[in-house]
Each structure stands twice: as C-alpha cells, then as structure tokens.
Amino acid sequence: MTKVATDRGPLSFDDLLGLLSRAGLVTAEVAQDLFEKQQPQLALLVRQRRHDGSSGPKSGRGGEPNAVSAIELFLSFAVTGANGKVVAEDAVMEAYAEAIGLPYLKLDPLELDADFCASTFSKAFARQHDMLAVAEV
C-alpha cells in the first residue's frame, strides 16, 4: 500500500478516499461521488457540532474547535462496502494505520492497565501530545 504523507498536517479527505480505494474498502466511483459531496456534508457536520455545543476531537495539533476530521467526514456518509455492510470505523482506522506505517491496535478500555498508563507519562504530557501508553517494549 502507498504511504500517506504525514508531514503535510492532517489527512485530507481526498487522501483518505485514495487510501480507502486502494485498500478495497470503496470503489473509485464511490470515492469520486463522496469527493463531490464532501462540502455540503462537512457544512452539515460543523453546524450540528456547533448546535450540540460539542467541539469534538481536535483536527491535529491546535485544530479548530469545530473542525471535522477526514475520517469523521467519511464515516458520516455511512458508505456501504462491497460486502453490503456499512464500512466500519475499525476498517477505516486499520487501513489508515497501514498507510502511515503503524500497527493497528484496537483498544478495549476495560483491559487497559491504568497503573501502567498513568505511570508512563504525566497526564499533562499525554494530553498535550495525544498519547496513551498501551504496552512496554
């Protein structure tokens, strides 16, 4: 799979559609259709977020409070994959992790070792850098 450039800042919707197409999660036709529909959907999501009063996840370091990530935007379309089911968030995240060269790890919050997580980094440092210690290497 082609690596996604990570030094350009947050993942663009176009880049995400390309990697999902290469991963076989969407067809080129579906990707093109979503690309054309992104602006109205993005506007709708931002309006909903403002109305709900939630800022949601930040878009990268110091992101705008109402910013919507490319992955959030894609998932909001509830795209049906080749198997007839909606493309799951896990599948999108796994494809993204592979594209940037990182292993995919699905976390079960009930199985995290809270003592290990808390003792590895300070809470302030972990929040500032969006980090969570999950295993000792």
Side-chain angles (χ1 to χ4, degrees), residues 8 10 15-16 29 35 41 57 69-70 75 83 102 110 118 129:
R8 295 184 311 184
D15 287 341
L16 177 65
E29 294 78 21
F35 182 78
Q41 185 72 2
S69 74
L75 294 171
N83 62 1
L102 293 175
L110 299 176
H129 298 283

Side-chain angles (χ1 to χ4, degrees), residues 82-94:
N83 62 1
K85 296 181 182 180
V86 173
V87 176
E89 181 177 5
D90 285 344
V92 174
M93 297 307 295
E94 189 169 2

